[in-house]
Amino acid sequence: ELIRLAMTPQDGDAGGPVMDAGGTVIGMLLPDLPTGQKLPKDVSFAADARALLDVLDAAGLRTPTVSEGANVSPDELGRRANGMTVLVSCWD
C-alpha cells in the first residue's frame, strides 16, 4: 500500500500525484508519516494507486484507468501533473 521514494518533497507537495516515466499516476505523495522513527531526510512515502482505487471503489466512486504508456519528456510530465493539482488552503 506504500511506495518508498528517495526524494525530499517541497512544502505543499503532499497530496500530489506520483507519476511513472510514461505519465501514468502510480500513487499519491503522503505528508510526513508520524511513525516515531527518524528516517533519512530524502525518504518520502506515497500511497500506492491500487490502494487509492480500492478506497474510492469502496466509497462508490468509479475512476478511469489506463495502461502504461511510452516514456514522455520531463517537461511533458510537468504539464500533465500541473493540470491535475490545485492549491488547497484551510482556515479555522
Side-chain angles (χ1 to χ4, degrees), residues 29-68:
L29 190 63
L30 296 172
D32 290 336
L33 299 176
T35 61
Q37 297 178 353
K38 293 288 185 186
L39 297 173
K41 187 173 183 147
D42 65 343
V43 173
S44 297
F45 292 97
D48 180 75
R50 181 74 254 159
L52 296 172
L53 288 172
D54 290 344
V55 169
L56 292 172
D57 188 49
L61 301 170
R62 303 290 180 254
T63 57
T65 58
V66 296
S67 59
E68 294 181 24

Side-chain angles (χ1 to χ4, degrees), residues 8-92:
T8 303
Q10 296 184 19
D11 292 340
D13 284 351
V18 176
M19 303 166 85
D20 67 11
T24 301
V25 175
I26 60 170
M28 180 184 74
L29 190 63
L30 296 172
D32 290 336
L33 299 176
T35 61
Q37 297 178 353
K38 293 288 185 186
L39 297 173
K41 187 173 183 147
D42 65 343
V43 173
S44 297
F45 292 97
D48 180 75
R50 181 74 254 159
L52 296 172
L53 288 172
D54 290 344
V55 169
L56 292 172
D57 188 49
L61 301 170
R62 303 290 180 254
T63 57
T65 58
V66 296
S67 59
E68 294 181 24
N71 290 357
V72 297
S73 71
D75 288 338
E76 177 60 19
L77 280 177
R79 278 190 287 280
R80 291 181 186 186
N82 189 46
M84 65 177 77
T85 57
V86 297
L87 176 63
V88 176
S89 298
C90 300
W91 295 272
D92 287 333

